[in-house]
């Protein structure tokens, strides 16, 4: 038997879960259903990332990323304190190892300050070595003392529990297949029957553009999957890294460059690189989907991007196939690192929206439709910012969908 819902949320990653949680917190009487195709929450980007609570350095002042990362990071820490989820404020340094990187480092300092990131400091070689004794090549660095680490998969599980407790209906193992509009709302066809809902919020990560099109929306961009591969430091060499050590990123890309990340599990990860994945959920090099690959190769935006950045793409591929090249990139930050100190670990696939013009969509993108909101670009720092993104979606939904009526009766 089908039940009518006020809102259906598609996607049980951290963004969909945080959105459902914020909606139910503000509107306890809301009839909400969340559908997730996997048998557990947070199975994709949410559990395949660096686990960093970002501070808000990198993003253009005034952008949604800047706005939600700074506030969202604090919300995330507060949520974890209240719910007993482990996280650690270990601090981070962004290290310039060449003179030519210093202007970009200074720009990060300016951006971070404009975005309200507290206690940032540009530091010299001596202080760098006090914080990270093995980052011996650093000429100058930006110290970000409040950056932290967390396991976002644990946050996703807790959000699922809280949504269920608040009366939300959670349907795992339920894939959305199609959407029809009726007079009173939307009919969602899923692998486990139909769901009737007045409105929809889609947070479908690597499939977000497809869900938007299914509903008649046009995100003006396509999701291109970029795999990020990691190495783990062997336990005896984890002492090389105390917290988070990042390079100065190439400002033309939304990716941050291979870095060292201490994890809440006690290890140290190195990575991720950024290579085209031949499948949207292609965590391994050999995993290929002809449909996914054909969509990329027939998309004009991809060829425009490739023509402009073929050299960077080539270097990333080399790092993907050659451990030596990967380690060489890491040695720029920590020269004591040896090839024998790292072993291949997992990977994650980023859902990066690419415009037809060949430009990577830099900011978060929410496509508004009469009955639906589609989150069509939520790459890093969307895990950090998830509770704040959920708050922004709540505000838009309140304006568009009149959720208040039920809450007021
Ligand atoms: C390598 C890597 C490193 C990163 N590092 C960080 C970091 O350190 N800090 C940070 O803040 N962010 C980081 N990010 C980004 C962060 O992980 C993502 O921004 C965030 O997880 C996005 O969450 P999401 O809910 O939008 O997507 P996802 O977690 O991918 O969730 C989307 C969900 O939608 C479901 N779905 C899709 N289609 C359907 C359908 N048709 N029917 C039903 N369900 C569907 C999927 O199964 C999936 O569970 C990183 C990402 C990657 C890949």
């Amino acid at each position: 038997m089908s039940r009518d819902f006020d809102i259906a949320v598609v996607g049980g990653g951290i963004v969909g879960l945080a959105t459902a949680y914020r909606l139910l917190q503000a509107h306890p009487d809301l009839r909400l259903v969340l559908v997730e195709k996997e048998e557990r929450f947070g199975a994709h980007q949410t559990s395949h990332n660096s686990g960093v609570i970002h501070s808000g350095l990198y993003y253009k002042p005034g952008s949604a990323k800047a706005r939600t990362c700074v506030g969202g990071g604090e919300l995330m820490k507060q949520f974890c304190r209240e719910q007993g989820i482990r996280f650690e404020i270990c601090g981070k340094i962004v290290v310039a190892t060449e003179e030519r990187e210093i202007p970009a480092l200074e720009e990060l300092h300016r951006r971070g300050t404009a975005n309200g990131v507290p206690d940032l400091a540009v530091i010299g070689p001596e202080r760098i070595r006090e914080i990270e004794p093995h980052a011996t090549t650093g000429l100058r660095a930006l110290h970000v003392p409040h950056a932290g680490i967390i396991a976002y998969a644990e946050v996703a599980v807790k959000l699922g529990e809280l949504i269920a407790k608040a009366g939300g209906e959670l349907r795992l193992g339920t894939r959305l297949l199609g959407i029809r509009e009726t007079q009173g709302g939307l009919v969602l066809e899923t692998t486990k029957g139909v769901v009737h809902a007045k409105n929809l919020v889609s947070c479908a990560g690597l499939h977000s553009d497809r869900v938007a099109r299914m509903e008649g929306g046009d995100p003006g961009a396509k999701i291109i999957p970029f795999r990020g591969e990691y190495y783990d430091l062997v336990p005896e060499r984890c002492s090389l890294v105390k917290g988070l050590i990042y390079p100065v990123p190439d400002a033309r890309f939304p990716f941050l460059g291979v870095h060292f990340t201490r994890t809440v599990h006690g290890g140290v990860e190195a990575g991720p690189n950024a290579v085209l994945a031949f499948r949207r959920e292609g965590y391994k090099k050999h995993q290929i989907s002809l449909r996914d690959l054909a969509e990329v190769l027939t998309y004009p935006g991809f060829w425009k991007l490739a023509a402009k950045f073929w050299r960077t793409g080539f270097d990333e591929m080399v790092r993907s196939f050659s451990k030596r090249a990967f380690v060489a990139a890491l040695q720029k930050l920590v020269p004591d690192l040896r090839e024998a100190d790292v072993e291949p670990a997992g990977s994650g696939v980023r859902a990066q929206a690419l415009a037809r013009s060949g430009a990577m969509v830099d900011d978060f993108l929410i496509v508004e439709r009469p009955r639906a909101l589609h989150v069509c670009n939520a790459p890093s720092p969307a895990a950090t910012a998830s509770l704040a993104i959920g708050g922004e979606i709540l505000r838009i939904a309140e304006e568009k969908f009149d959720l208040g009526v039920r809450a007021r009766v």
Side-chain angles (χ1 to χ4, degrees), residues 11 13-15 36-37 45-46 49-50 52 54 176 204 230 378-379 382 384:
I14 200 163
V15 175
E36 164 55 52
K37 67 183 167 62
Q45 293 176 93
T46 298
N49 59 46
S50 298
V52 174
H54 284 296
L176 177 71
Y230 291 89
T384 303

Side-chain angles (χ1 to χ4, degrees), residues 210 222-225 276-280 288-304 306 354:
R210 289 178 179 162
K222 185 176 286 293
I223 292 294
I224 303 293
L276 179 69
F278 298 151
R279 192 170 116 184
R280 289 205 180 193
I288 297 179
S289 149
L290 290 181
R291 177 194 173 188
D292 292 354
L293 189 57
E295 267 192 33
V296 172
L297 297 180
T298 55
Y299 185 56
F302 171 74
W303 291 108
K304 289 178 190 157
L354 182 70

Side-chain angles (χ1 to χ4, degrees), residues 222-291:
K222 185 176 286 293
I223 292 294
I224 303 293
F226 285 99
R227 190 175 52 250
E229 295 152 331
Y230 291 89
Y231 282 86
D232 279 338
L233 264 63
V234 294
E236 321 71 87
R237 296 293 275 165
C238 284
S239 57
L240 287 174
V241 176
K242 302 266 171 257
L244 306 170
I245 310 178
Y246 279 61
V248 178
D250 182 336
R252 297 168 304 163
F253 298 103
F255 313 132
L256 302 180
V258 289
H259 48 262
F260 293 93
T261 316
R262 187 159 280 282
T263 73
V264 281
H265 313 290
V268 175
E269 286 177 347
N273 59 351
V275 289
L276 179 69
F278 298 151
R279 192 170 116 184
R280 289 205 180 193
E281 285 152 8
Y283 295 101
K284 301 219 162 77
K285 289 185 185 64
H286 65 263
Q287 289 178 321
I288 297 179
S289 149
L290 290 181
R291 177 194 173 188

Side-chain angles (χ1 to χ4, degrees), residues 94-399:
V94 182
V95 185
T97 56
E98 296 175 46
E99 286 290 341
R100 64 184 174 90
E101 293 174 329
I102 289 177
L105 190 78
E106 284 166 350
E107 174 58 19
L108 282 186
H109 188 204
R110 273 192 294 277
R111 277 195 177 187
T113 306
N115 292 341
V117 182
D119 304 323
L120 288 178
V122 175
I123 56 175
E126 209 173 310
R127 180 79 181 114
I128 294 174
R129 270 167 241 178
E130 274 169 27
I131 297 169
E132 291 288 352
H134 295 275
T136 48
T137 46
L139 301 176
R140 223 179 279 179
L142 188 56
H143 183 215
V144 193
H146 304 293
I149 50 174
I150 191 169
Y152 287 111
E154 293 175 9
V155 178
V157 169
K158 177 55 75 178
L159 284 168
E161 282 169 24
L162 294 173
I163 293 165
K165 217 164 156 187
E169 193 166 318
L170 298 168
R171 298 194 186 170
L172 287 168
T174 306
R175 179 191 289 268
L176 177 71
L177 299 171
I179 303 172
R180 277 182 289 123
E181 196 167 348
T182 60
Q183 219 177 4
L186 300 168
V187 180
L188 312 188
E189 284 152 14
T190 79
T191 45
K192 294 202 177 146
V194 295
V195 175
H196 295 263
K198 283 193 210 140
N199 298 110
L200 168 79
V201 178
S202 164
C203 309
L206 285 152
H207 301 276
S208 54
D209 55 341
R210 289 178 179 162
V211 174
R213 288 197 182 91
M214 225 184 247
E215 192 272 319
D218 176 13
K222 185 176 286 293
I223 292 294
I224 303 293
F226 285 99
R227 190 175 52 250
E229 295 152 331
Y230 291 89
Y231 282 86
D232 279 338
L233 264 63
V234 294
E236 321 71 87
R237 296 293 275 165
C238 284
S239 57
L240 287 174
V241 176
K242 302 266 171 257
L244 306 170
I245 310 178
Y246 279 61
V248 178
D250 182 336
R252 297 168 304 163
F253 298 103
F255 313 132
L256 302 180
V258 289
H259 48 262
F260 293 93
T261 316
R262 187 159 280 282
T263 73
V264 281
H265 313 290
V268 175
E269 286 177 347
N273 59 351
V275 289
L276 179 69
F278 298 151
R279 192 170 116 184
R280 289 205 180 193
E281 285 152 8
Y283 295 101
K284 301 219 162 77
K285 289 185 185 64
H286 65 263
Q287 289 178 321
I288 297 179
S289 149
L290 290 181
R291 177 194 173 188
D292 292 354
L293 189 57
E295 267 192 33
V296 172
L297 297 180
T298 55
Y299 185 56
F302 171 74
W303 291 108
K304 289 178 190 157
L305 179 80
K308 205 163 162 194
F309 295 118
W310 66 268
R311 181 66 220 221
T312 311
F314 178 77
D315 289 347
E316 290 286 353
M317 286 296 279
V318 171
R319 270 194 284 277
S320 174
F321 283 96
S322 157
K323 183 179 183 185
R324 177 173 296 180
F326 203 107
V327 170
L330 294 166
Q331 282 169 332
K332 272 190 78 181
L333 296 170
V334 175
D336 290 346
L337 188 80
R338 296 285 162 265
E339 262 185 69
D341 296 339
V342 296
E343 44 197 34
S347 68
V349 184
R350 307 169 181 87
Q352 174 61 51
L354 182 70
R356 290 187 187 102
S357 65
M360 300 223 205
V361 178
D362 193 34
D363 210 357
F364 297 148
L365 173 64
I366 300 176
V367 174
E368 296 185 25
R369 299 260 307 148
R371 287 200 172 274
L373 297 173
H374 298 277
V375 178
C376 286
N377 194 48
S380 185
T384 303
S386 50
L387 288 163
I389 296 173
E392 297 225 338
I393 294 173
L394 165 67
R395 271 191 298 283
I396 305 172
E398 281 177 336
E399 263 173 38

